[in-house]
Every structure is written in structure tokens, then in C-alpha cells.
Amino acid sequence: MKKIMPLLLALVMVAFTGGLAAAQVPVPDTIYKWVQSSPRANYYFNMEQLCFAVDEKGFIDQNTLLVAVVKTYDPLQIKDVQDKRQWKMLNMDGYDDLAGAAEYARIDLAKQTVTITEVADLDSTGTAIETTYPNRTCDLKTMSDKSLDRIFFGVVIDYAKQHKEQII
């Protein structure tokens, strides 16, 4: 019986954690700044691509930041995304190697809103599996202080203020 318990424990752990560790999207720390981790994902933004928007006349709009975001997923988040896609009967090609997502966000500093303009699910090599254009907007002022998105974009805004000359 004592020999069987460790085996049963290992089987239960594999069943509930999805087995082996998930593949990770390559996120070089010379380009991406890690901001936070939740139980299901790690959040990064691209320091090199962080910039102010340019208006239709070609002038820099210092009230609007553009930022590239990368999220790497743990095995449970990967399984959740896969299960939701299956339930919705969406294409599953490439999702056996899902590792995270890349998002492009537009931050309106005056209104304190963030619009997610593009989302790409990524495989373990960082290649897009599928790209969508949700144009989903969230209001940072109305979000809880504990909201992962509010914390994340707050750090991006603070970074931009501290490095304004570099991102212009």
C-alpha cells in the first residue's frame, strides 16, 4: 500500500495539472519588461515598441500610447483556451502548441481607457496561430485597484512617463 500511494498521488497530479509543463513563448528580457504574474499567466510589455501615437497630420499624440503586450500561459490556462475553442466549435489547428497571446493596446492617457486592438494566440515559438481584432475598451478609472489589467497598464503608463524622451 505504501508503494501505491506515491504512484496514485503522481497520477492525480498529472490529471489535474495537465501533465508536463507547458511550452513557453520566448520572451527576451532585453526587449520585454515583466510586470506581473497571476496564477494563470505572466504579463510583459515590449519596451522597444512602446510609443506615442501619431495623428492624421503626422504629429505625435502624447495623450495616446501604443503598446505591445505578451502573456505567457500556464497549463491550466492553455487547457481553458483549448476547451472554450472546442466548445464553440472553432478551428483547433495549432492550438495543441498554444503557449500564450500577444496583444496590441491603445492607451488614452487623458480618458484613462485602454483599447485592445489586436490579439494573436501564440505557439511555443512565438508564431501567431490566429489573430483577431476585438477593439475591446476598458476604463481604468472604474476598474478595481486589484484588477490585473489596471495594475498592468498602470505600470506601462508609469514606465512611459519615466522614459518619455526614449519613446518619442
Side-chain angles (χ1 to χ4, degrees), residues 99-137:
E103 299 177 350
Y104 290 94
R106 180 186 245 13
I107 304 171
D108 185 319
L109 298 172
K111 294 179 183 176
Q112 290 291 292
T113 59
V114 177
T115 303
I116 306 299
T117 59
E118 185 176 337
V119 177
D121 291 330
L122 303 175
D123 66 16
S124 62
T125 67
T127 303
I129 300 169
E130 180 180 85
T131 303
T132 58
Y133 303 90
N135 282 320
R136 178 181 70 244
T137 300

Side-chain angles (χ1 to χ4, degrees), residues 20-34:
L20 302 173
Q24 288 292 310
V25 176
V27 185
D29 62 2
T30 55
I31 298 171
Y32 294 92
K33 180 166 182 60
W34 173 85

Side-chain angles (χ1 to χ4, degrees), residues 67-87:
V67 62
V69 177
V70 172
K71 297 178 184 176
T72 60
Y73 297 155
D74 80 333
L76 291 175
Q77 182 66 23
I78 291 169
K79 179 92 170 94
D80 188 48
V81 171
Q82 292 167 336
D83 289 348
K84 285 179 182 174
R85 289 188 67 79
Q86 285 180 327
W87 183 76

Side-chain angles (χ1 to χ4, degrees), residues 45-65:
F45 71 91
N46 188 317
M47 297 177 290
E48 291 182 354
Q49 288 186 355
L50 179 64
C51 64
F52 289 109
V54 176
D55 68 18
E56 61 279 346
K57 295 179 183 175
F59 295 109
I60 294 173
D61 177 1
Q62 293 187 31
N63 284 319
T64 306
L65 281 172

